[in-house]
Amino acid sequence: MIGAGIGVGIVGLGGMGHLHARNVEEFGADVVAGADLVENQRQQFAAEFGAKTYETHEGLVVDDDVDAVIVTTPNRFHEPITIDALEAGCHVLVEKPLAHTLESAERIADAAAEAAGICMVGFHNRHAASMAMFDQQDERSRFGDLTHVEANYVRRRGVPGPGSWFTDPDLAGGGSLLDIGVHALDLALYAMDFPEIVEVSGIARSTFGRNDEYADPDGFGDAWDASAETYEVDDSVSAFIRCEGGKTISLEAAWATNREPSMDFRVRGTDAGAQFDIGSTDMDILEAGTAGCDHYADVNMTGDSSLTGHKEQDATFLETVAAGIEPQTNTVEEALTVQRVIDAIYRSSETGRAQRIETPERERTEPAGSAESAESAEPAGSAESAEPAELEASQQID
């Protein structure tokens, strides 16, 4: 088993925490500890996994049985937990986005570069069957040169709910873009092998949060409260990203908008194109030819339905930890690029002008001493200082 002998601790024991715990346990790792401010969450986790639990992450990261830490808390607390875990000598998988702000993400990247352990970021859709098939076809040059990606993660009605941490900018850092748009953006940059970005423009809108007559037919935003003071984030975003060599990305992300929902992902190449739903098991390849007569040639590829992004990602994390090698995917540097683009989209929306981003090179260096001796910036906030209701991890799994 790929996870044999690896002790895993989970910080944030909501739905995502349980999902990761089940996955790593299936791959042979030992779920040895969990941390959450909410007592009921700790009790449920202990009952299911037989793991010791902590009220705060500080005790978990220095537990001798913990080799690797998975972080599934609200975005603001990714920095203090991840840095503490790295400085304690643990390996870390932190859920997307890397952080709630670009500055916080940069501090995580600095700490990861100095740490002895590895750090990976949870962009699980890269590992879905559809993307795995795309990667193989792209490696065979079936698409030619990639020129444009249309990336959509759009809900018709799906605001998590005013008053939750998702709509609090201090905890989340943003709205639909940082919650679900980040998946589509990461996948687009990943498909194009993270090209150099020339310019970013975008608009972030907040339309539905203050609407007393907001319709929620699916009951997505439980206990809707239009008067909540913490709906200060975007519920839809449109963006356009220009990259080197004429490559471009168009992005649509929405918690709520008046159109059909879509997770449509389309890639255009000079020889062929591809389209699939983000996270799906199927992919269509679009080609044209002249053999016999001018014609279109569309191919549907159906992948293994048991190949899920979350499972494959967790397996990759455990394999990387066991091998003691640098991550080949889901790297902190890639996640930092995604965070820079997100920051540029918000800046473009605020200023009404396209934005350029700087991507300075970072080199991972071996620490001079132990991981515990590395210096780190003061964390943006302490996870333990939040109210329990704010820290409880989301039960929603995207």
Side-chain angles (χ1 to χ4, degrees):
M1 299 290 281
I2 59 177
I6 300 174
V8 177
I10 311 288
V11 183
L13 305 181
M16 284 302 301
H18 280 253
L19 177 64
H20 282 291
R22 294 184 191 112
N23 286 345
V24 298
E25 193 173 62
E26 182 177 331
F27 292 125
D30 298 317
V31 179
V32 296
D36 199 297
L37 283 180
V38 182
E39 182 179 3
N40 185 54
Q41 298 283 64
R42 297 196 301 272
Q43 291 175 345
Q44 290 181 11
F45 191 82
E48 179 171 352
F49 299 102
K52 69 190 85 172
T53 60
Y54 296 88
E55 186 174 0
T56 68
H57 76 272
E58 286 93 345
L60 182 145
V61 300
V62 297
D63 188 317
D64 289 339
D65 293 329
V66 175
D67 304 303
V69 175
I70 299 178
V71 183
T72 69
T73 63
N75 305 338
R76 176 184 172 184
F77 308 121
H78 289 184
E79 179 190 344
I81 297 167
T82 299
I83 290 178
D84 284 352
L86 289 170
E87 290 185 343
C90 298
H91 306 286
V92 178
L93 172 63
V94 55
E95 266 297 341
K96 63 77 193 171
L98 183 55
H100 68 307
T101 67
L102 176 56
E103 294 76 16
S104 181
E106 288 174 333
R107 289 191 290 268
I108 293 175
D110 288 339
E114 296 294 328
I118 68 162
C119 186
M120 295 176 66
V121 185
F123 290 112
H124 65 275
N125 289 302
R126 296 185 184 190
H127 302 269
S130 53
M131 200 65 204
M133 291 187 293
F134 173 85
D135 284 343
Q136 286 297 312
Q137 297 299 316
D138 189 34
E139 287 178 10
R140 298 172 185 173
S141 300
R142 184 163 186 175
F143 305 110
D145 295 328
L146 304 184
T147 59
H148 182 69
V149 174
E150 304 168 43
N152 299 274
Y153 204 133
V154 176
R155 298 173 184 161
R156 186 173 179 179
R157 290 294 185 272
V159 180
S164 70
W165 74 263
F166 284 100
T167 60
D168 185 337
D170 290 335
L171 293 174
S176 61
L177 178 58
L178 266 170
D179 180 32
I180 57 177
V182 66
H183 284 300
L185 176 58
D186 172 74
L187 208 62
L189 291 168
Y190 171 76
M192 286 193 163
D193 197 25
F194 281 84
E196 182 177 341
I197 296 161
V198 176
E199 190 176 71
V200 177
S201 58
I203 294 288
R205 311 172 189 87
S206 184
T207 305
F208 296 94
R210 302 294 183 181
N211 188 349
D212 288 321
E213 297 182 357
Y214 173 79
D216 188 17
D218 300 318
F220 200 102
D222 189 34
W224 183 268
D225 180 9
S227 65
E229 297 180 359
T230 53
Y231 197 101
E232 301 172 19
V233 296
D234 53 281
D235 47 35
S236 72
V237 168
S238 301
F240 191 79
I241 299 135
R242 290 179 52 228
C243 306
E244 66 177 354
K247 299 176 186 291
T248 52
I249 297 169
S250 58
L251 172 69
E252 290 287 340
W255 278 339
T257 190
N258 290 318
R259 60 158 285 183
E260 287 296 313
S262 174
M263 295 181 71
D264 192 35
F265 192 84
R266 297 173 183 258
V267 183
R268 302 182 206 169
T270 54
D271 295 338
Q275 63 185 46
F276 52 86
D277 281 351
I278 294 172
S280 69
T281 57
D282 296 349
M283 178 181 71
D284 293 328
I285 297 178
L286 309 177
E287 297 171 298
T290 59
C293 65
D294 292 357
H295 63 274
Y296 296 114
D298 299 345
V299 178
N300 175 259
M301 303 179 70
T302 302
D304 183 353
S305 61
S306 67
L307 184 67
T308 69
H310 284 292
K311 277 192 175 182
E312 292 303 308
Q313 172 188 263
D314 289 348
T316 300
F317 175 61
L318 292 175
E319 288 171 345
T320 306
V321 169
I325 59 174
E326 290 295 311
Q328 302 301 302
T329 187
N330 294 62
T331 69
V332 170
E333 284 302 318
E334 291 169 342
L336 185 56
T337 297
V338 173
Q339 198 93 33
R340 288 193 179 108
V341 175
I342 288 172
D343 180 74
I345 291 171
Y346 283 137
R347 286 190 286 113
S348 176
S349 184
E350 290 171 0
T351 63
R353 297 190 302 272
Q355 301 290 312
R356 294 182 179 273
I357 62 175
E358 296 182 3
T359 55
E361 292 292 330
R362 274 185 172 83
E363 291 187 3
R364 181 181 173 89
T365 58
E366 290 300 321
S370 66
E372 289 79 356
S373 67
E375 293 182 359
S376 67
E378 284 299 314
S382 168
E384 286 71 39
S385 66
E387 291 297 322
E390 292 173 336
L391 233 195
E392 184 172 348
S394 168
Q395 297 294 322
Q396 170 193 328
I397 298 173
D398 283 317

